Amino acid sequence: MNNSDSPLTPNLYPLIIECCRIEPDFDRLVSLASYIIDWDQVIKSSYAHGVFPLVAKSLKSIPYIPTDVRRLFKLTTIDIAQKNMRAASELIKVVEILKSEGIEVITFKGPALSQMAYGDIVSRQYGDLDILLDEKEIVRAVTLLNEAGYENILPLEVLRNQTCIDIIKDFTIVQQNNRVAFEVHWKLFEKKYAMKSFDQGFRNIETVVLNGYEVQTIGDELFLVYLCIHGSKHMWERLEWVCDIDRLIRNREFDWDKIVSMALLLHQSDGVFLGFALGRKLFDTPVPSSIEPFINTPRMEILMDEVVDAIENNLFDQNDFQRNKMIFLFQVRIIKTWLQKVMFFLDVFFGISPEDCQTFHLSDRWKYLYMILRPYRLMKKALAKVMRWL
Amino acid sequence: MRSLIYTIPSSVIMQSVDDETLLFDSETELFFALNETGAMFWESITKYTNLSDVYDELSDIFEVVQERLEDDLLTFSALLIQQGLLVVGE
């Protein structure tokens, strides 16, 4: 089943996946490329999956590619590199602003992940930049960044509301001039994925060098676990995320006993192991034997097939409702026990949502009122939609 | 080769992309692309703080007449200084 407007060009995803391997097979690339009818689909899909730089690099010396397509590959690669260089520079500026005021900043994903996994800041695509701060410092940090020209997407009052702080995990700010966006985090995991104590208990710091400047990032094991949970939460809709896991495992040393311990403490441990299983299936990621019992299971095979089927049939390209429904049901399937599934369901549909605490600023003492006020909020939202339509 | 002391502003970063070398100055938000020769000049410039040291290294790499290399290096450096990618003095 393919949900694109036009049929998928033959060998589209086998080609893209081969391009993302650590050492793509040249003969196989030539063979796959010879069947490509619509190179626009290759370009569009590579970009959507965040792996354009890798695909462009792998296809550089392959025949059968039209000249105008080659030109587009080169121009887009340079465009991505420029965006990334601008983003990395902005990240360094933000780190310097906060550090100069005594605020410790941990950066993760984005340029730090690119440097750790790929050895440079231009081989993967990234948009928003992520920084992690101490919860006690968020208001001060965001205020400082506002003074330095960063605009808030939501009102600052949200960060002064403890219920909001407990519900949401990040706050977006955007640089006024160049529109580089930051997600300011104070925890890595939402409550439904891990307790706060897990987040902070396992947090350790490492250093990565971005263009000669040292920044702090999350320690290797926690970073890998985080990336797997993040990918599984979104049903691995971007191949880039599987690629990141593959490259990190190949380029860094990990304490795998620690990773297994962390995974088993999480509400969605299979989400962690799924990342390694997908890496091995798509890119032959070398996974230690201690992980094999967790990924060589019929259940893991079913979850992997679901992800690969969704990627190969462009199911992430559906309308928002269908796509979100597919991802939600996948999230429920990843959870092992029925009790945890029920808790997850209750949290999604009946827990206080970020929209609730952003609309009504209630103190912690009155937070039970959110459930009563929610129907009013939803009616108001529906009415606004109807009025716009009219 | 006359001695010229310089520094590279901390706002300037460099990345190799495809066959090109890109420079970005976060102060001006401007990008610059260097060709292969420019990239080699730049790489040498990043290693030293004195243009005569750069000249000495490049003269081992490029088999050209001394005056030609000196002219090219001075012209290149002048362009970098004009664009704020190099600052004269310590």
Side-chain angles (χ1 to χ4, degrees), chain A residues 344-375:
Chain A
F344 180 81
F345 186 86
L346 288 174
D347 189 72
V348 168
F349 288 101
F350 299 103
I352 302 170
S353 73
E355 290 78 17
D356 289 332
C357 65
Q358 285 157 32
T359 306
F360 308 108
H361 300 165
L362 301 176
S363 69
D364 213 41
R365 198 171 142 199
W366 301 104
K367 66 181 178 186
Y368 69 89
L369 288 175
Y370 281 118
M371 294 311 302
I372 300 167
L373 291 169
R374 177 181 287 175

PDB file of all heavy atoms in Angstrom, chain A residues 344-375:
ATOM      1  N   PHE A 344      -0.656   4.336  30.071  1.00  0.00           N
ATOM      2  CA  PHE A 344      -0.272   5.170  28.934  1.00  0.00           C
ATOM      3  C   PHE A 344      -1.511   5.782  28.291  1.00  0.00           C
ATOM      4  O   PHE A 344      -1.568   6.989  28.029  1.00  0.00           O
ATOM      5  CB  PHE A 344       0.497   4.319  27.919  1.00  0.00           C
ATOM      6  CG  PHE A 344       0.952   5.069  26.691  1.00  0.00           C
ATOM      7  CD1 PHE A 344       2.102   5.856  26.731  1.00  0.00           C
ATOM      8  CD2 PHE A 344       0.246   5.008  25.494  1.00  0.00           C
ATOM      9  CE1 PHE A 344       2.532   6.546  25.603  1.00  0.00           C
ATOM     10  CE2 PHE A 344       0.666   5.695  24.370  1.00  0.00           C
ATOM     11  CZ  PHE A 344       1.811   6.464  24.423  1.00  0.00           C
ATOM     12  N   PHE A 345      -2.539   4.963  28.080  1.00  0.00           N
ATOM     13  CA  PHE A 345      -3.787   5.408  27.452  1.00  0.00           C
ATOM     14  C   PHE A 345      -4.428   6.503  28.305  1.00  0.00           C
ATOM     15  O   PHE A 345      -4.854   7.544  27.808  1.00  0.00           O
ATOM     16  CB  PHE A 345      -4.715   4.201  27.315  1.00  0.00           C
ATOM     17  CG  PHE A 345      -5.971   4.496  26.551  1.00  0.00           C
ATOM     18  CD1 PHE A 345      -6.004   4.414  25.167  1.00  0.00           C
ATOM     19  CD2 PHE A 345      -7.129   4.841  27.217  1.00  0.00           C
ATOM     20  CE1 PHE A 345      -7.161   4.680  24.456  1.00  0.00           C
ATOM     21  CE2 PHE A 345      -8.292   5.102  26.515  1.00  0.00           C
ATOM     22  CZ  PHE A 345      -8.307   5.028  25.133  1.00  0.00           C
ATOM     23  N   LEU A 346      -4.490   6.250  29.618  1.00  0.00           N
ATOM     24  CA  LEU A 346      -5.100   7.233  30.529  1.00  0.00           C
ATOM     25  C   LEU A 346      -4.313   8.541  30.513  1.00  0.00           C
ATOM     26  O   LEU A 346      -4.902   9.625  30.522  1.00  0.00           O
ATOM     27  CB  LEU A 346      -5.149   6.676  31.954  1.00  0.00           C
ATOM     28  CG  LEU A 346      -6.160   5.561  32.210  1.00  0.00           C
ATOM     29  CD1 LEU A 346      -6.000   5.005  33.629  1.00  0.00           C
ATOM     30  CD2 LEU A 346      -7.582   6.046  32.003  1.00  0.00           C
ATOM     31  N   ASP A 347      -3.006   8.427  30.460  1.00  0.00           N
ATOM     32  CA  ASP A 347      -2.177   9.623  30.466  1.00  0.00           C
ATOM     33  C   ASP A 347      -2.386  10.444  29.197  1.00  0.00           C
ATOM     34  O   ASP A 347      -2.480  11.670  29.240  1.00  0.00           O
ATOM     35  CB  ASP A 347      -0.702   9.231  30.611  1.00  0.00           C
ATOM     36  CG  ASP A 347       0.184  10.440  30.842  1.00  0.00           C
ATOM     37  OD1 ASP A 347       0.118  11.006  31.951  1.00  0.00           O
ATOM     38  OD2 ASP A 347       0.915  10.842  29.920  1.00  0.00           O
ATOM     39  N   VAL A 348      -2.482   9.748  28.057  1.00  0.00           N
ATOM     40  CA  VAL A 348      -2.636  10.463  26.787  1.00  0.00           C
ATOM     41  C   VAL A 348      -3.998  11.155  26.705  1.00  0.00           C
ATOM     42  O   VAL A 348      -4.101  12.309  26.296  1.00  0.00           O
ATOM     43  CB  VAL A 348      -2.458   9.494  25.592  1.00  0.00           C
ATOM     44  CG1 VAL A 348      -2.891  10.134  24.275  1.00  0.00           C
ATOM     45  CG2 VAL A 348      -0.999   9.054  25.492  1.00  0.00           C
ATOM     46  N   PHE A 349      -5.059  10.432  27.099  1.00  0.00           N
ATOM     47  CA  PHE A 349      -6.409  10.979  26.892  1.00  0.00           C
ATOM     48  C   PHE A 349      -6.960  11.748  28.085  1.00  0.00           C
ATOM     49  O   PHE A 349      -7.850  12.577  27.928  1.00  0.00           O
ATOM     50  CB  PHE A 349      -7.367   9.853  26.500  1.00  0.00           C
ATOM     51  CG  PHE A 349      -7.129   9.363  25.095  1.00  0.00           C
ATOM     52  CD1 PHE A 349      -6.420   8.189  24.865  1.00  0.00           C
ATOM     53  CD2 PHE A 349      -7.562  10.097  24.004  1.00  0.00           C
ATOM     54  CE1 PHE A 349      -6.175   7.759  23.571  1.00  0.00           C
ATOM     55  CE2 PHE A 349      -7.316   9.667  22.707  1.00  0.00           C
ATOM     56  CZ  PHE A 349      -6.621   8.491  22.491  1.00  0.00           C
ATOM     57  N   PHE A 350      -6.468  11.437  29.282  1.00  0.00           N
ATOM     58  CA  PHE A 350      -7.045  12.082  30.460  1.00  0.00           C
ATOM     59  C   PHE A 350      -6.022  12.839  31.306  1.00  0.00           C
ATOM     60  O   PHE A 350      -6.406  13.510  32.262  1.00  0.00           O
ATOM     61  CB  PHE A 350      -7.777  11.042  31.328  1.00  0.00           C
ATOM     62  CG  PHE A 350      -8.906  10.367  30.596  1.00  0.00           C
ATOM     63  CD1 PHE A 350      -8.752   9.075  30.101  1.00  0.00           C
ATOM     64  CD2 PHE A 350     -10.107  11.028  30.373  1.00  0.00           C
ATOM     65  CE1 PHE A 350      -9.779   8.458  29.406  1.00  0.00           C
ATOM     66  CE2 PHE A 350     -11.135  10.413  29.676  1.00  0.00           C
ATOM     67  CZ  PHE A 350     -10.979   9.127  29.188  1.00  0.00           C
ATOM     68  N   GLY A 351      -4.761  12.712  30.963  1.00  0.00           N
ATOM     69  CA  GLY A 351      -3.763  13.462  31.720  1.00  0.00           C
ATOM     70  C   GLY A 351      -3.843  14.935  31.351  1.00  0.00           C
ATOM     71  O   GLY A 351      -4.400  15.296  30.307  1.00  0.00           O
ATOM     72  N   ILE A 352      -3.314  15.767  32.191  1.00  0.00           N
ATOM     73  CA  ILE A 352      -3.289  17.201  31.892  1.00  0.00           C
ATOM     74  C   ILE A 352      -2.373  17.395  30.683  1.00  0.00           C
ATOM     75  O   ILE A 352      -1.244  16.910  30.672  1.00  0.00           O
ATOM     76  CB  ILE A 352      -2.759  18.013  33.085  1.00  0.00           C
ATOM     77  CG1 ILE A 352      -3.625  17.767  34.322  1.00  0.00           C
ATOM     78  CG2 ILE A 352      -2.730  19.519  32.749  1.00  0.00           C
ATOM     79  CD1 ILE A 352      -3.035  18.338  35.589  1.00  0.00           C
ATOM     80  N   SER A 353      -2.887  18.069  29.670  1.00  0.00           N
ATOM     81  CA  SER A 353      -2.109  18.245  28.444  1.00  0.00           C
ATOM     82  C   SER A 353      -1.380  19.588  28.473  1.00  0.00           C
ATOM     83  O   SER A 353      -1.771  20.488  29.235  1.00  0.00           O
ATOM     84  CB  SER A 353      -3.031  18.191  27.230  1.00  0.00           C
ATOM     85  OG  SER A 353      -3.793  19.390  27.162  1.00  0.00           O
ATOM     86  N   PRO A 354      -0.341  19.724  27.665  1.00  0.00           N
ATOM     87  CA  PRO A 354       0.338  21.026  27.577  1.00  0.00           C
ATOM     88  C   PRO A 354      -0.638  22.145  27.208  1.00  0.00           C
ATOM     89  O   PRO A 354      -0.531  23.253  27.743  1.00  0.00           O
ATOM     90  CB  PRO A 354       1.359  20.819  26.453  1.00  0.00           C
ATOM     91  CG  PRO A 354       1.627  19.365  26.456  1.00  0.00           C
ATOM     92  CD  PRO A 354       0.339  18.710  26.855  1.00  0.00           C
ATOM     93  N   GLU A 355      -1.634  21.844  26.349  1.00  0.00           N
ATOM     94  CA  GLU A 355      -2.594  22.880  25.961  1.00  0.00           C
ATOM     95  C   GLU A 355      -3.443  23.314  27.151  1.00  0.00           C
ATOM     96  O   GLU A 355      -3.792  24.480  27.289  1.00  0.00           O
ATOM     97  CB  GLU A 355      -3.531  22.373  24.853  1.00  0.00           C
ATOM     98  CG  GLU A 355      -2.873  22.185  23.496  1.00  0.00           C
ATOM     99  CD  GLU A 355      -2.060  20.914  23.403  1.00  0.00           C
ATOM    100  OE1 GLU A 355      -2.234  19.997  24.244  1.00  0.00           O
ATOM    101  OE2 GLU A 355      -1.211  20.819  22.504  1.00  0.00           O
ATOM    102  N   ASP A 356      -3.775  22.363  28.048  1.00  0.00           N
ATOM    103  CA  ASP A 356      -4.567  22.695  29.246  1.00  0.00           C
ATOM    104  C   ASP A 356      -3.824  23.716  30.095  1.00  0.00           C
ATOM    105  O   ASP A 356      -4.376  24.757  30.462  1.00  0.00           O
ATOM    106  CB  ASP A 356      -4.817  21.442  30.103  1.00  0.00           C
ATOM    107  CG  ASP A 356      -5.784  20.465  29.464  1.00  0.00           C
ATOM    108  OD1 ASP A 356      -6.649  20.913  28.685  1.00  0.00           O
ATOM    109  OD2 ASP A 356      -5.664  19.252  29.731  1.00  0.00           O
ATOM    110  N   CYS A 357      -2.558  23.406  30.422  1.00  0.00           N
ATOM    111  CA  CYS A 357      -1.865  24.301  31.362  1.00  0.00           C
ATOM    112  C   CYS A 357      -1.398  25.582  30.696  1.00  0.00           C
ATOM    113  O   CYS A 357      -1.123  26.566  31.382  1.00  0.00           O
ATOM    114  CB  CYS A 357      -0.725  23.585  32.097  1.00  0.00           C
ATOM    115  SG  CYS A 357       0.607  23.048  31.071  1.00  0.00           S
ATOM    116  N   GLN A 358      -1.358  25.594  29.333  1.00  0.00           N
ATOM    117  CA  GLN A 358      -1.022  26.859  28.672  1.00  0.00           C
ATOM    118  C   GLN A 358      -2.240  27.767  28.597  1.00  0.00           C
ATOM    119  O   GLN A 358      -2.116  28.986  28.562  1.00  0.00           O
ATOM    120  CB  GLN A 358      -0.494  26.588  27.258  1.00  0.00           C
ATOM    121  CG  GLN A 358       0.920  26.056  27.245  1.00  0.00           C
ATOM    122  CD  GLN A 358       1.240  25.278  25.989  1.00  0.00           C
ATOM    123  OE1 GLN A 358       0.722  25.581  24.914  1.00  0.00           O
ATOM    124  NE2 GLN A 358       2.095  24.280  26.102  1.00  0.00           N
ATOM    125  N   THR A 359      -3.459  27.179  28.546  1.00  0.00           N
ATOM    126  CA  THR A 359      -4.686  27.986  28.427  1.00  0.00           C
ATOM    127  C   THR A 359      -5.112  28.518  29.796  1.00  0.00           C
ATOM    128  O   THR A 359      -5.513  29.673  29.921  1.00  0.00           O
ATOM    129  CB  THR A 359      -5.825  27.132  27.834  1.00  0.00           C
ATOM    130  OG1 THR A 359      -5.384  26.547  26.611  1.00  0.00           O
ATOM    131  CG2 THR A 359      -7.062  27.981  27.571  1.00  0.00           C
ATOM    132  N   PHE A 360      -5.053  27.668  30.810  1.00  0.00           N
ATOM    133  CA  PHE A 360      -5.480  28.073  32.161  1.00  0.00           C
ATOM    134  C   PHE A 360      -4.280  27.974  33.098  1.00  0.00           C
ATOM    135  O   PHE A 360      -3.773  26.902  33.327  1.00  0.00           O
ATOM    136  CB  PHE A 360      -6.583  27.140  32.671  1.00  0.00           C
ATOM    137  CG  PHE A 360      -7.731  26.991  31.714  1.00  0.00           C
ATOM    138  CD1 PHE A 360      -7.919  25.806  31.023  1.00  0.00           C
ATOM    139  CD2 PHE A 360      -8.621  28.030  31.494  1.00  0.00           C
ATOM    140  CE1 PHE A 360      -8.969  25.664  30.132  1.00  0.00           C
ATOM    141  CE2 PHE A 360      -9.676  27.896  30.605  1.00  0.00           C
ATOM    142  CZ  PHE A 360      -9.851  26.709  29.920  1.00  0.00           C
ATOM    143  N   HIS A 361      -3.877  29.096  33.651  1.00  0.00           N
ATOM    144  CA  HIS A 361      -2.693  29.097  34.518  1.00  0.00           C
ATOM    145  C   HIS A 361      -3.129  28.867  35.960  1.00  0.00           C
ATOM    146  O   HIS A 361      -3.322  29.798  36.735  1.00  0.00           O
ATOM    147  CB  HIS A 361      -1.935  30.421  34.400  1.00  0.00           C
ATOM    148  CG  HIS A 361      -1.459  30.687  32.998  1.00  0.00           C
ATOM    149  ND1 HIS A 361      -1.034  31.906  32.559  1.00  0.00           N
ATOM    150  CD2 HIS A 361      -1.338  29.877  31.925  1.00  0.00           C
ATOM    151  CE1 HIS A 361      -0.681  31.828  31.290  1.00  0.00           C
ATOM    152  NE2 HIS A 361      -0.864  30.617  30.886  1.00  0.00           N
ATOM    153  N   LEU A 362      -3.306  27.610  36.318  1.00  0.00           N
ATOM    154  CA  LEU A 362      -3.744  27.266  37.671  1.00  0.00           C
ATOM    155  C   LEU A 362      -2.542  26.866  38.508  1.00  0.00           C
ATOM    156  O   LEU A 362      -1.622  26.220  38.001  1.00  0.00           O
ATOM    157  CB  LEU A 362      -4.739  26.081  37.623  1.00  0.00           C
ATOM    158  CG  LEU A 362      -6.007  26.317  36.798  1.00  0.00           C
ATOM    159  CD1 LEU A 362      -6.840  25.039  36.755  1.00  0.00           C
ATOM    160  CD2 LEU A 362      -6.824  27.453  37.399  1.00  0.00           C
ATOM    161  N   SER A 363      -2.596  27.200  39.775  1.00  0.00           N
ATOM    162  CA  SER A 363      -1.492  26.793  40.652  1.00  0.00           C
ATOM    163  C   SER A 363      -1.614  25.295  40.904  1.00  0.00           C
ATOM    164  O   SER A 363      -2.643  24.672  40.635  1.00  0.00           O
ATOM    165  CB  SER A 363      -1.544  27.565  41.954  1.00  0.00           C
ATOM    166  OG  SER A 363      -2.680  27.145  42.697  1.00  0.00           O
ATOM    167  N   ASP A 364      -0.541  24.732  41.427  1.00  0.00           N
ATOM    168  CA  ASP A 364      -0.467  23.291  41.672  1.00  0.00           C
ATOM    169  C   ASP A 364      -1.633  22.803  42.518  1.00  0.00           C
ATOM    170  O   ASP A 364      -2.166  21.705  42.319  1.00  0.00           O
ATOM    171  CB  ASP A 364       0.871  23.017  42.380  1.00  0.00           C
ATOM    172  CG  ASP A 364       1.422  21.668  41.994  1.00  0.00           C
ATOM    173  OD1 ASP A 364       1.334  21.303  40.804  1.00  0.00           O
ATOM    174  OD2 ASP A 364       1.940  20.965  42.875  1.00  0.00           O
ATOM    175  N   ARG A 365      -2.072  23.630  43.460  1.00  0.00           N
ATOM    176  CA  ARG A 365      -3.143  23.275  44.396  1.00  0.00           C
ATOM    177  C   ARG A 365      -4.464  23.023  43.670  1.00  0.00           C
ATOM    178  O   ARG A 365      -5.287  22.222  44.103  1.00  0.00           O
ATOM    179  CB  ARG A 365      -3.315  24.458  45.347  1.00  0.00           C
ATOM    180  CG  ARG A 365      -4.027  24.172  46.604  1.00  0.00           C
ATOM    181  CD  ARG A 365      -3.911  25.377  47.503  1.00  0.00           C
ATOM    182  NE  ARG A 365      -5.165  25.570  48.213  1.00  0.00           N
ATOM    183  CZ  ARG A 365      -5.547  26.679  48.789  1.00  0.00           C
ATOM    184  NH1 ARG A 365      -4.784  27.744  48.716  1.00  0.00           N
ATOM    185  NH2 ARG A 365      -6.680  26.765  49.424  1.00  0.00           N
ATOM    186  N   TRP A 366      -4.663  23.711  42.535  1.00  0.00           N
ATOM    187  CA  TRP A 366      -5.945  23.630  41.831  1.00  0.00           C
ATOM    188  C   TRP A 366      -5.847  22.811  40.542  1.00  0.00           C
ATOM    189  O   TRP A 366      -6.743  22.886  39.691  1.00  0.00           O
ATOM    190  CB  TRP A 366      -6.471  25.039  41.503  1.00  0.00           C
ATOM    191  CG  TRP A 366      -6.684  25.900  42.708  1.00  0.00           C
ATOM    192  CD1 TRP A 366      -5.896  26.921  43.137  1.00  0.00           C
ATOM    193  CD2 TRP A 366      -7.737  25.764  43.653  1.00  0.00           C
ATOM    194  NE1 TRP A 366      -6.399  27.463  44.294  1.00  0.00           N
ATOM    195  CE2 TRP A 366      -7.524  26.784  44.644  1.00  0.00           C
ATOM    196  CE3 TRP A 366      -8.842  24.925  43.792  1.00  0.00           C
ATOM    197  CZ2 TRP A 366      -8.377  26.950  45.730  1.00  0.00           C
ATOM    198  CZ3 TRP A 366      -9.690  25.106  44.874  1.00  0.00           C
ATOM    199  CH2 TRP A 366      -9.459  26.100  45.820  1.00  0.00           C
ATOM    200  N   LYS A 367      -4.792  22.016  40.388  1.00  0.00           N
ATOM    201  CA  LYS A 367      -4.590  21.380  39.077  1.00  0.00           C
ATOM    202  C   LYS A 367      -5.665  20.362  38.712  1.00  0.00           C
ATOM    203  O   LYS A 367      -5.881  20.070  37.549  1.00  0.00           O
ATOM    204  CB  LYS A 367      -3.195  20.761  38.972  1.00  0.00           C
ATOM    205  CG  LYS A 367      -2.918  19.607  39.867  1.00  0.00           C
ATOM    206  CD  LYS A 367      -1.479  19.132  39.632  1.00  0.00           C
ATOM    207  CE  LYS A 367      -1.151  17.995  40.564  1.00  0.00           C
ATOM    208  NZ  LYS A 367       0.263  17.608  40.478  1.00  0.00           N
ATOM    209  N   TYR A 368      -6.396  19.840  39.691  1.00  0.00           N
ATOM    210  CA  TYR A 368      -7.468  18.893  39.372  1.00  0.00           C
ATOM    211  C   TYR A 368      -8.576  19.567  38.548  1.00  0.00           C
ATOM    212  O   TYR A 368      -9.361  18.911  37.869  1.00  0.00           O
ATOM    213  CB  TYR A 368      -8.048  18.295  40.663  1.00  0.00           C
ATOM    214  CG  TYR A 368      -8.816  19.274  41.518  1.00  0.00           C
ATOM    215  CD1 TYR A 368     -10.177  19.478  41.336  1.00  0.00           C
ATOM    216  CD2 TYR A 368      -8.152  20.015  42.495  1.00  0.00           C
ATOM    217  CE1 TYR A 368     -10.873  20.394  42.106  1.00  0.00           C
ATOM    218  CE2 TYR A 368      -8.842  20.930  43.276  1.00  0.00           C
ATOM    219  CZ  TYR A 368     -10.206  21.118  43.081  1.00  0.00           C
ATOM    220  OH  TYR A 368     -10.881  22.014  43.844  1.00  0.00           O
ATOM    221  N   LEU A 369      -8.641  20.906  38.583  1.00  0.00           N
ATOM    222  CA  LEU A 369      -9.660  21.645  37.830  1.00  0.00           C
ATOM    223  C   LEU A 369      -9.408  21.599  36.321  1.00  0.00           C
ATOM    224  O   LEU A 369     -10.325  21.882  35.532  1.00  0.00           O
ATOM    225  CB  LEU A 369      -9.716  23.114  38.282  1.00  0.00           C
ATOM    226  CG  LEU A 369     -10.318  23.363  39.663  1.00  0.00           C
ATOM    227  CD1 LEU A 369     -10.202  24.836  40.029  1.00  0.00           C
ATOM    228  CD2 LEU A 369     -11.781  22.929  39.716  1.00  0.00           C
ATOM    229  N   TYR A 370      -8.182  21.231  35.906  1.00  0.00           N
ATOM    230  CA  TYR A 370      -7.900  21.171  34.478  1.00  0.00           C
ATOM    231  C   TYR A 370      -8.847  20.209  33.767  1.00  0.00           C
ATOM    232  O   TYR A 370      -9.276  20.456  32.638  1.00  0.00           O
ATOM    233  CB  TYR A 370      -6.452  20.738  34.221  1.00  0.00           C
ATOM    234  CG  TYR A 370      -5.426  21.841  34.399  1.00  0.00           C
ATOM    235  CD1 TYR A 370      -4.437  21.740  35.362  1.00  0.00           C
ATOM    236  CD2 TYR A 370      -5.455  22.969  33.590  1.00  0.00           C
ATOM    237  CE1 TYR A 370      -3.502  22.750  35.525  1.00  0.00           C
ATOM    238  CE2 TYR A 370      -4.520  23.987  33.750  1.00  0.00           C
ATOM    239  CZ  TYR A 370      -3.550  23.862  34.729  1.00  0.00           C
ATOM    240  OH  TYR A 370      -2.632  24.861  34.887  1.00  0.00           O
ATOM    241  N   MET A 371      -9.158  19.098  34.448  1.00  0.00           N
ATOM    242  CA  MET A 371     -10.027  18.100  33.822  1.00  0.00           C
ATOM    243  C   MET A 371     -11.429  18.663  33.614  1.00  0.00           C
ATOM    244  O   MET A 371     -12.095  18.334  32.634  1.00  0.00           O
ATOM    245  CB  MET A 371     -10.103  16.840  34.705  1.00  0.00           C
ATOM    246  CG  MET A 371      -8.783  16.099  34.823  1.00  0.00           C
ATOM    247  SD  MET A 371      -8.018  15.811  33.206  1.00  0.00           S
ATOM    248  CE  MET A 371      -9.293  14.909  32.395  1.00  0.00           C
ATOM    249  N   ILE A 372     -11.848  19.538  34.531  1.00  0.00           N
ATOM    250  CA  ILE A 372     -13.194  20.112  34.438  1.00  0.00           C
ATOM    251  C   ILE A 372     -13.208  21.208  33.364  1.00  0.00           C
ATOM    252  O   ILE A 372     -14.175  21.371  32.629  1.00  0.00           O
ATOM    253  CB  ILE A 372     -13.614  20.692  35.811  1.00  0.00           C
ATOM    254  CG1 ILE A 372     -13.617  19.575  36.845  1.00  0.00           C
ATOM    255  CG2 ILE A 372     -14.966  21.375  35.721  1.00  0.00           C
ATOM    256  CD1 ILE A 372     -13.697  20.042  38.274  1.00  0.00           C
ATOM    257  N   LEU A 373     -12.120  21.933  33.274  1.00  0.00           N
ATOM    258  CA  LEU A 373     -12.046  23.048  32.322  1.00  0.00           C
ATOM    259  C   LEU A 373     -11.743  22.572  30.897  1.00  0.00           C
ATOM    260  O   LEU A 373     -11.973  23.300  29.932  1.00  0.00           O
ATOM    261  CB  LEU A 373     -10.953  24.041  32.768  1.00  0.00           C
ATOM    262  CG  LEU A 373     -11.276  24.813  34.047  1.00  0.00           C
ATOM    263  CD1 LEU A 373     -10.043  25.559  34.545  1.00  0.00           C
ATOM    264  CD2 LEU A 373     -12.418  25.786  33.825  1.00  0.00           C
ATOM    265  N   ARG A 374     -11.230  21.363  30.755  1.00  0.00           N
ATOM    266  CA  ARG A 374     -10.836  20.894  29.420  1.00  0.00           C
ATOM    267  C   ARG A 374     -11.981  20.897  28.420  1.00  0.00           C
ATOM    268  O   ARG A 374     -11.798  21.354  27.286  1.00  0.00           O
ATOM    269  CB  ARG A 374     -10.202  19.504  29.488  1.00  0.00           C
ATOM    270  CG  ARG A 374      -9.846  18.986  28.076  1.00  0.00           C
ATOM    271  CD  ARG A 374      -9.249  17.625  28.094  1.00  0.00           C
ATOM    272  NE  ARG A 374      -7.904  17.671  28.598  1.00  0.00           N
ATOM    273  CZ  ARG A 374      -7.167  16.588  28.805  1.00  0.00           C
ATOM    274  NH1 ARG A 374      -7.664  15.391  28.588  1.00  0.00           N
ATOM    275  NH2 ARG A 374      -5.952  16.705  29.254  1.00  0.00           N
ATOM    276  N   PRO A 375     -13.175  20.380  28.773  1.00  0.00           N
ATOM    277  CA  PRO A 375     -14.264  20.428  27.771  1.00  0.00           C
ATOM    278  C   PRO A 375     -14.521  21.847  27.266  1.00  0.00           C
ATOM    279  O   PRO A 375     -14.789  22.066  26.083  1.00  0.00           O
ATOM    280  CB  PRO A 375     -15.478  19.868  28.526  1.00  0.00           C
ATOM    281  CG  PRO A 375     -14.904  19.036  29.603  1.00  0.00           C
ATOM    282  CD  PRO A 375     -13.621  19.715  30.002  1.00  0.00           C
TER     283      PRO A 375
END
